[in-house]
Amino acid sequence: MSDDKDDSQKTEQPTQKRLQEAEEKGDVAQSPDIAAWLVLAAATGFIAMWAGTTASGLRQMMTGFLSQPHTLSLDSDTMSGLMQGVGTQLLLILAVPLGLLLVVGVGAHLIQHKPVFAWEKLKPEFSRISPLKGFEKLFGRVALMNFAKGLLKTVVASAAIGITIWPAREQLLGLITMPVAGLLPWVQGLTVQILIAALAILGIIALADIGWQYFERMRRLRMTRQEVRDEHKQSEGDPAVKARIRQIRSERARKRMMANVPKAAVIITNPTHYAVALAYESGKMGAPICVAKGVDDIALKIREIGKEHNVPIVENPPLARALYASVDVDESIKAEHFTAVAQVIGFVMRLKMKASPARTERRK
């Protein structure tokens, strides 16, 4: 019941990460019917083109056994050499068809999916020897589907073969009287017709099977909503952790910004809501640079630090709001603000120049 409940909760399509992990474990969509169809097609092509040549080679090899059996010696040495020679000749004759079927069989799997080395498939699992798991494999959904598919292939292929043979039923009865020279070509032609009929039917079934294998894999890898959320957190990062990281970075940036306030040439305020600290050194900077800015509490802190370090504070609400909106920290001010900022900095410099003689006289 728990498995049914889990399956009912798996309503989400598998993510790309889930599909990739399944592929690494050897879980891919492959149809054995596609491989079987390609092998059968290769066998049909070989029979149609080279069956006569192969049959002639086999006939020549067996002629000695059939025409002069009394001349063969039955001692162990002679029979051993004879069997080796026959085996070698047989291997050479059948090397082409066997090699062709091997190449097609391997290629049939490669065209469906690239090679995957899944070492986890080799790990021992005690669940594989579980009687309950074995019962599920024998009578489960996939097993019943495979049984129905196999039964359908047998029935449909048998019907196609029967329809192909039926018109030649009278000739089949006369095969006994047919000369050997004409028997082999006729059997070859009929065999090719039967295989082509079977290929036509099995090809449709194979195409349907590859679609079924893809659907079954996607169904098997479906995820619950919680699994999707957990995977998103793992890939994108936990929102709480990311928020904490942003907070730490913001605090560090704020500390660095506040450390630069004493270096400012002037602080332009709103006067209470905005504060923008500008640094400028005549002859070294082409334009004033914003070293700190903030609103409300941060603006108050900038003003407090400025007062502690005797940084001039100028109230200019329009300019303060404009600078806050258009300039980031460590950036030069925009060209459209040059005139207004130059007037403020010039005013501050004039105040410093006036204050300097006064300080000098008091010292005297």
Side-chain angles (χ1 to χ4, degrees):
M1 295 295 291
S2 60
D3 293 340
D4 296 339
K5 184 178 179 181
D6 291 341
D7 289 340
S8 65
Q9 293 176 352
K10 293 181 178 181
T11 57
E12 306 301 316
Q13 292 296 323
T15 61
Q16 187 62 36
K17 182 174 181 292
R18 180 69 171 267
L19 293 174
Q20 184 176 356
E21 290 177 350
E23 180 179 329
E24 293 174 354
K25 295 178 181 178
D27 187 353
V28 297
Q30 278 195 342
S31 171
D33 288 342
I34 292 290
W37 187 88
L38 290 174
V39 171
L40 184 60
T44 303
F46 175 80
I47 292 173
M49 291 183 289
W50 294 298
T53 304
T54 304
S56 298
L58 292 173
R59 183 183 61 189
Q60 292 176 4
M61 184 186 68
M62 299 300 294
T63 299
F65 295 96
L66 298 177
S67 62
Q68 298 176 345
H70 57 280
T71 61
L72 298 176
S73 178
L74 298 179
D75 59 277
S76 60
D77 293 337
T78 303
M79 290 302 296
S80 177
L82 180 62
M83 295 305 295
Q84 290 180 2
V86 171
T88 302
Q89 292 182 22
L90 186 62
L91 182 60
L92 292 175
I93 293 172
L94 299 179
V96 174
L98 293 179
L100 176 63
L101 296 180
L102 177 62
V103 171
V104 172
V106 175
H109 292 282
L110 294 179
I111 63 175
Q112 295 185 69
H113 199 277
K114 63 182 180 180
V116 177
F117 298 96
W119 300 108
E120 293 192 6
K121 292 287 186 178
L122 302 178
K123 294 181 180 179
E125 294 183 7
F126 293 102
S127 61
R128 294 178 181 176
I129 60 175
S130 170
L132 181 59
K133 293 291 184 181
F135 181 82
E136 290 179 354
K137 289 182 179 179
L138 288 175
F139 301 99
R141 178 172 174 272
V142 176
L144 293 177
M145 185 64 189
N146 290 334
F147 173 76
K149 184 176 61 175
L151 182 62
L152 176 64
K153 287 191 293 185
T154 302
V155 172
V156 175
S158 299
I161 293 172
I163 294 173
T164 305
I165 294 177
W166 184 252
R169 62 188 182 279
E170 296 181 357
Q171 293 177 326
L172 287 172
L173 297 176
L175 288 179
I176 300 176
T177 60
M178 185 178 296
V180 177
L183 177 61
L184 291 179
W186 186 88
V187 172
Q188 178 186 6
L190 181 61
T191 303
V192 171
Q193 292 180 20
I194 293 173
L195 291 176
I196 290 175
L199 284 172
I201 299 299
L202 295 179
I204 299 174
I205 296 177
L207 291 176
D209 183 64
I210 189 63
W212 161 256
Q213 294 293 339
Y214 176 80
F215 169 79
E216 181 64 19
R217 180 173 184 263
M218 297 297 288
R219 186 200 67 82
R220 185 171 59 253
L221 296 177
R222 281 186 304 187
M223 306 170 66
T224 63
R225 293 183 178 179
Q226 184 61 40
E227 289 175 338
V228 174
R229 286 194 291 266
D230 292 343
E231 183 177 301
H232 180 73
K233 286 182 180 179
Q234 292 177 359
S235 60
E236 299 295 333
D238 191 336
V241 175
K242 292 177 68 176
R244 178 57 181 165
I245 293 175
R246 287 195 298 269
Q247 181 181 0
I248 293 174
R249 290 177 178 174
S250 177
E251 290 176 355
R252 290 179 178 176
R254 189 179 304 169
K255 289 180 180 179
R256 289 194 299 269
M257 184 177 68
M258 293 303 178
N260 290 328
V261 172
K263 304 176 183 178
V266 63
I267 298 175
I268 303 174
T269 65
N270 190 29
T272 56
H273 294 292
Y274 292 86
V276 179
L278 301 177
Y280 180 71
E281 295 183 20
S282 180
K284 295 182 179 181
M285 296 182 182
I289 297 175
C290 174
V291 295
K293 71 174 185 176
V295 295
D296 298 333
D297 294 340
I298 297 177
L300 177 61
K301 186 67 174 177
I302 291 174
R303 292 195 300 271
E304 290 177 354
I305 295 175
K307 290 179 181 178
E308 291 175 1
H309 294 82
N310 297 320
V311 178
I313 299 175
V314 177
E315 296 183 5
N316 190 330
L319 182 58
R321 289 194 296 268
L323 291 174
Y324 182 85
S326 62
V327 183
D328 291 329
V329 176
D330 296 330
E331 284 187 357
S332 300
I333 65 173
K334 305 299 180 184
E336 58 266 24
H337 301 136
F338 281 179
T339 302
V341 172
Q343 292 176 354
V344 171
I345 292 178
F347 172 73
V348 171
M349 293 180 67
R350 285 193 297 272
L351 289 178
K352 287 183 178 181
M353 292 176 64
K354 291 180 181 179
S356 294
R359 290 179 183 177
T360 302
E361 293 177 358
R362 284 197 298 268
R363 288 176 182 177
K364 291 179 180 181

